[in-house]
Amino acid sequence: MIGLLGPNGAGKSTTIKIIAGILSASTGSVSVCGIPLPEGAVDVKQRIGYVPEAAYLFESLTGQEFLELMGRLQSVSEDTLQTRIVDILQAFELTTDRDSRLDTYSKGMRQKILIGAALLHNPELVLLDEPLSGLDVNAAIMIKDLIAALAADGRTIIYSSHVLDVVEKICNRVLVIHKGSLIADGTPANLMASTGQATLEDVFRCLTDSAGASAGVSRIVESLRE
């Protein structure tokens, strides 16, 4: 369970897209499940589940139809596919909305559909880019528990997020990237111990020079008082 952290523009989403075979690395080499990229991009995509930070859905499809499309693209057998769709829709409390078009879904409902679609083919590696975006508290708790269960069941999870307290609680390894470079790699506890910080958020501030953000906050507040 790997947490991928970094400021905006650090390269988190780019890294995930490279691992997913969507972008090619400009330097270095990448392999996923022992398969080199970009040569084996098709084989890699059969082994991963990917939830992007911003996704464009086929809004003319219903939730049921979208999940069927995604499962069939991954060659999931029809009986297995339909069983998994039922289970996913029930778990995400979307059964009554299964035949509604996606353009009628809320942001949180769309996010649940995306997460479900990423898991239909039972991937070895799950790439999650801000997966809790748009979810209410109960749904976010459920997704966090699901992610932890998937990791405990033997899958590798790469979880990119700005919600550092969640990463601190559920990830057993954290990578921090800044300006395109890896600047820290370790367990949350080790990173906190090595930097002398009490929380992963404090570690992040220390490593990425974001501690100076408080000065910016004061500047804005003072400006508004004028």
Side-chain angles (χ1 to χ4, degrees), residues 23-202:
L23 298 177
S24 295
S26 55
T27 59
S29 60
V30 182
S31 64
V32 177
C33 302
I35 302 169
L37 286 171
E39 299 84 357
V42 173
D43 289 336
V44 165
K45 289 174 184 177
Q46 294 174 341
R47 290 168 169 79
I48 66 171
Y50 173 43
V51 179
E53 182 177 12
Y56 297 95
L57 302 179
F58 299 106
E59 294 189 340
S60 61
L61 298 181
T62 66
Q64 173 78 22
E65 290 169 341
F66 181 80
L67 291 174
E68 287 177 343
L69 173 62
M70 294 299 102
R72 289 166 184 163
L73 287 172
Q74 289 287 5
S75 301
V76 180
S77 69
E78 196 63 26
D79 288 345
T80 299
L81 175 60
Q82 295 301 331
T83 298
R84 289 177 180 172
I85 288 175
V86 168
D87 291 339
I88 287 169
L89 291 174
Q90 287 180 346
F92 288 153
E93 299 181 343
L94 291 173
T95 301
T96 57
D97 301 289
R98 65 189 306 158
D99 295 321
S100 299
R101 286 169 43 129
L102 291 174
D103 60 5
T104 68
Y105 279 32
S106 68
K107 180 174 174 56
M109 293 165 68
R110 295 183 186 205
Q111 193 70 5
K112 291 176 182 178
I113 287 290
L114 282 171
I115 293 170
L119 300 177
L120 278 172
H121 58 297
N122 191 25
E124 300 172 48
L125 170 64
V126 183
L127 306 172
L128 303 172
D129 198 351
E130 297 291 355
L132 304 185
S133 176
L135 298 178
D136 61 32
V137 174
N138 288 334
I141 292 172
M142 187 265 192
I143 295 300
K144 287 185 286 185
D145 290 344
L146 173 62
I147 293 169
L150 290 171
D153 203 38
R155 295 166 187 79
T156 298
I157 313 292
I158 299 181
Y159 181 99
S160 175
S161 178
H162 292 296
V163 187
L164 301 190
D165 59 332
V166 174
V167 174
E168 182 177 333
K169 290 175 183 176
I170 68 175
C171 293
N172 49 34
R173 181 182 177 189
V174 173
L175 306 178
V176 182
I177 58 177
H178 187 39
K179 298 180 180 179
S181 298
L182 180 66
I183 61 172
D185 178 359
T187 66
N190 286 343
L191 293 179
M192 286 185 279
S194 64
T195 57
Q197 304 298 320
T199 67
L200 191 58
E201 181 175 321
D202 291 334

